[in-house]
Structures are given as C-alpha cells and as structure tokens.
Amino acid sequence: MEFYFAPLVGVTGYVYRNVHRELYPGIEKYFAPFISPNEQGVCKSKEMRDILPKNNEGTKMIPQILTNNVEYFRETAKQLLHFGYEEINLNLGCPSAPLVKRGRGSGFLARREELKYFLEEITKIQGMRLSIKTRLGKDNPEEIYELMKIFNGVPLEELIIHARVQQDFYKNTPNMEVFKEAVAMSRHPICYNGDIFTIEDYHAFVRDCPNVTKVMLGRGLLNTPDMVTKLAYGEETEVPGIRAFHDRIYEVYKQEITGESHILNRMKQFWFYLNHNAIVNNPSWNLVKECDSIEAYDAIVEQVIAAREE
Ligand SMILES: Cc1cc2nc3c(=O)[nH]c(=O)nc-3n(C[C@H](O)[C@H](O)[C@H](O)COP(=O)(O)O)c2cc1C
C-alpha cells in the first residue's frame, strides 16, 4: 500500500509536512494545499512560499493548483516546473461555495464540456505529469460515470477520489459502492480518500477494496500522526510521542512565522485536529482556545500534553 498525506489548506503547510516527515516515516507523497491563481493569473506570495523548493527539502511534495482557466494553469505550472516539480495535482474537490459558484474546485465537475477541454489543453504541457484529486460529483455521486469517461480520455499520473459529492462538504459518509464502480471504469491508477480515521478503518477499507493500492489520509493523520508509520512498519514500531511532535513543530513555527497571534493560531489548529477524538470535550482544549499570548500558551501547554497522553 502507498500512503499519501492529504492537503489541508491552513493546516498542512511546509512546517507541518516537514516535521511530520522527520518524525513519522511511511508517507510516499505529501500533497501541498492548493495554490489558486487570481484574476491576473498570479498566486499569492504566501502560497508560493509554501511550495518553494528550499522550504520542502527532503520531503516528497506534490503541489496542487485550483483553477478552471487554461492560461492561469499554464503560467502557474510553468513556475512549478521551473522549481523542479514534475507532478502537479489539479484540485477538483474543494467544496467551498464561492469557488464552486465560479466553477472551480468541485464546481468544475458540473461543467463537463469545459472540463474536458481544460484537461485536453493542460495535459499538453511538456514535462509535466498531471494527477487529479476529485469528488464523485457536484450534486450526485452518479456524475462520476460521465466524469470517468473524461478522465480516461487524457493521460494522468493517478486519480485520487474523495468518495463524496460537493454537497456533502465533509458530512455524510463516503459512497463506497459508487467509488468501486469508478475504480472498475478507470484506466488510471486510483487512490482512495475519505474518513480513514483509525487503523481499524484502514483494515476495513482494505477488506472492502482489496485491489486499490493507494490511500490518502487527512484528518485521521492529523489526529493520530503516527498512524501510517504503524501501518507501514508494524503496530509495535517505536514512534516519537505527541510531546516530541508538539515541541518540534512549535519550535519551527516560532522560527518561520512572525507575529505571536499567527504562531498561536497555528498551535490552536494543531491541537484542534490532534485533540479531536481524545480531548475535544476536555477542559485543556478550552485552555488552548483561550490563549492570547505565547506566555499564556507556554504556561498551560504541559497540562495539555499530559491530557493528550493520558
Ligand atoms: C480544513 C480543510 C482544508 C482542506 N484543504 C484542501 C486543499 O487545499 N486541497 C484539497 O485537495 N483538499 C483539501 N481538503 C480536503 C482533504 O484533503 C481531504 O480530501 C478530506 O479531508 C477527506 O479526507 P479525510 O477524511 O482523510 O480527512 C481540506 C479539508 C479540510 C477539512
């Protein structure tokens, strides 16, 4: 099995990815959160910073683009190829309403003629391997049948399917039956994504889809950062604990980010996802949420780590 780390905008930036890779081996590819060229076809400097090669040394990272404009894609891809990236991922999954309204992310799935033309054009880019991260459709999972015909018509490195539709956002459960039909139709390698939160979920997935050999994990890994290391190297493998992960990531955020509130926001997010199952109802989470200075954070963090390690 190949394991991929899903992109989560605002969470899995280069600091998170690099520290995770240092401590928890076993991830084949880390997908960077999307960069989206604006109306002038230019990406934000913060987005570019995340994918600069000097910030990703040693980590196998795949940049992701979100656009429905051939020229903007081409311009952004040109920069990425110049940086040395050969695989680029196209985001056809983002469910955010303003983007969807403009036909981007999972909104592009409902404009099939346009999507077909777009893919035919961008797959002509020399030296680039394209992969796609998609949902099953915008409104209805059966949309994937028509979409598969389009995806099968262009050369792709692989197709990552988050087995929901746009209208689900992150609610409801992945549609495994339709996902399996998409696998059967595909001429491209398929990677599964969606709701693998625990080692048991992973084993259930393998039993259900024994012929799928790539999985992408997002929230499950944020909650249990050592999950893939244990799956890849055995459940008895010794791995660094949450304290080591926390301390390293906090140290690097303090070096890389200016502004106390920005550092604190990152740490709050870190705890929000890490805590999710374990202590989201625990008073220590409230302590983190309410911190308004590094001093206050430093004063309570021992307590929070202890609560998570219980
Ligand atoms: C806060 C947040 C940010 C996300 N950002 C991105 C993104 O930038 N690009 C993308 O393709 N998917 C993004 N996703 C979707 C995830 O990559 C993934 O498909 C989704 O969380 C389902 O996988 P999981 O159940 O393993 O978390 C995001 C999801 C969340 C919750």
Side-chain angles (χ1 to χ4, degrees):
M1 183 63 81
E2 281 183 62
F3 296 100
Y4 297 164
F5 206 134
L8 285 96
V9 66
V11 192
T12 60
Y14 69 93
V15 172
Y16 191 99
R17 297 192 299 268
N18 293 340
V19 175
H20 185 271
R21 192 255 314 148
E22 276 171 33
L23 270 61
Y24 302 113
I27 302 285
E28 212 75 40
K29 296 179 183 176
Y30 287 82
F31 286 74
F34 65 79
I35 50 181
S36 62
N38 66 16
E39 303 308 316
Q40 285 78 45
V42 178
C43 298
K44 295 190 195 89
S45 58
K46 191 172 144 203
E47 293 176 346
M48 284 318 252
R49 187 166 170 228
D50 187 52
I51 47 101
L52 286 178
K54 74 174 174 62
N55 290 332
N56 290 279
E57 276 167 21
T59 303
K60 173 83 176 152
M61 182 275 276
I62 311 297
Q64 184 186 64
I65 302 179
L66 183 146
T67 186
N68 57 4
N69 180 299
V70 173
E71 274 320 305
Y72 297 173
F73 187 98
R74 248 192 225 127
E75 277 310 303
T76 312
K78 206 160 92 187
Q79 270 177 290
L80 295 174
L81 292 172
H82 175 72
F83 286 152
Y85 299 110
E86 290 169 358
E87 178 183 340
I88 297 178
N89 185 263
L90 173 70
N91 180 319
L92 293 180
C94 183
S96 145
L99 290 174
V100 167
K101 224 167 92 189
R102 281 179 278 151
R104 298 202 244 155
S106 54
F108 208 174
L109 300 176
R111 302 184 179 190
R112 286 198 282 274
E113 276 309 304
E114 223 182 286
L115 176 63
K116 183 168 181 285
Y117 170 77
F118 175 87
L119 291 176
E120 284 166 358
E121 287 304 306
I122 66 168
T123 48
K124 290 177 190 158
I125 297 172
Q126 292 294 312
M128 178 192 79
R129 288 179 280 119
L130 182 74
S131 61
I132 290 180
K133 182 162 177 285
T134 185
R135 292 196 176 217
L136 293 172
K138 181 173 168 292
D139 303 310
N140 185 326
E142 278 84 34
E143 289 168 32
I144 196 69
Y145 306 136
E146 287 304 310
L147 290 165
M148 288 310 297
K149 292 182 197 160
I150 298 174
F151 298 147
N152 279 341
V154 289
L156 293 182
E157 177 74 6
E158 59 194 8
L159 183 63
I160 302 159
I161 303 182
H162 178 192
R164 287 187 165 88
V165 294
Q166 182 267 333
Q167 297 217 343
D168 290 327
F169 285 84
Y170 296 94
K171 298 189 299 281
N172 306 325
T173 47
N175 190 325
M176 298 309 292
E177 293 318 306
V178 177
F179 169 75
K180 283 186 259 183
E181 291 185 53
V183 174
M185 284 179 76
S186 182
R187 75 174 184 93
H188 303 297
I190 296 277
C191 172
Y192 172 80
N193 172 237
D195 291 18
I196 298 184
F197 294 125
T198 63
I199 286 183
E200 293 70 38
D201 291 343
Y202 169 76
H203 290 307
F205 169 77
V206 172
R207 281 194 299 275
D208 196 23
C209 300
N211 55 345
V212 176
T213 57
K214 299 163 193 263
V215 289
M216 172 182 268
L217 288 82
R219 292 163 299 168
L221 267 175
L222 296 180
N223 187 70
T224 312
D226 60 10
M227 183 160 55
V228 163
T229 312
K230 297 209 161 171
L231 286 170
Y233 299 100
E235 288 188 27
E236 303 312 314
T237 310
E238 288 284 323
V239 287
I242 288 307
R243 177 180 300 275
F245 190 36
H246 170 275
D247 290 355
R248 180 79 184 121
I249 211 160
Y250 185 37
E251 181 193 345
V252 185
Y253 276 143
K254 284 195 285 189
Q255 289 161 7
E256 294 288 312
I257 300 178
T258 29
E260 250 184 59
S261 63
H262 292 127
I263 299 167
L264 284 173
N265 282 342
R266 288 297 170 142
M267 295 318 294
K268 287 177 189 184
Q269 233 164 12
F270 173 83
W271 283 111
F272 173 75
Y273 284 105
L274 195 63
N275 275 348
H276 220 73
N277 297 337
I279 58 167
V280 85
N281 296 318
N282 185 295
S284 58
W285 167 234
N286 288 331
L287 293 178
V288 175
K289 259 195 320 198
E290 284 156 19
C291 271
D292 57 2
S293 70
I294 293 279
E295 255 180 16
Y297 181 77
D298 288 344
I300 55 109
V301 74
E302 282 303 314
Q303 210 176 317
V304 179
I305 292 173
R308 180 59 167 77
E309 283 181 339
E310 262 167 24

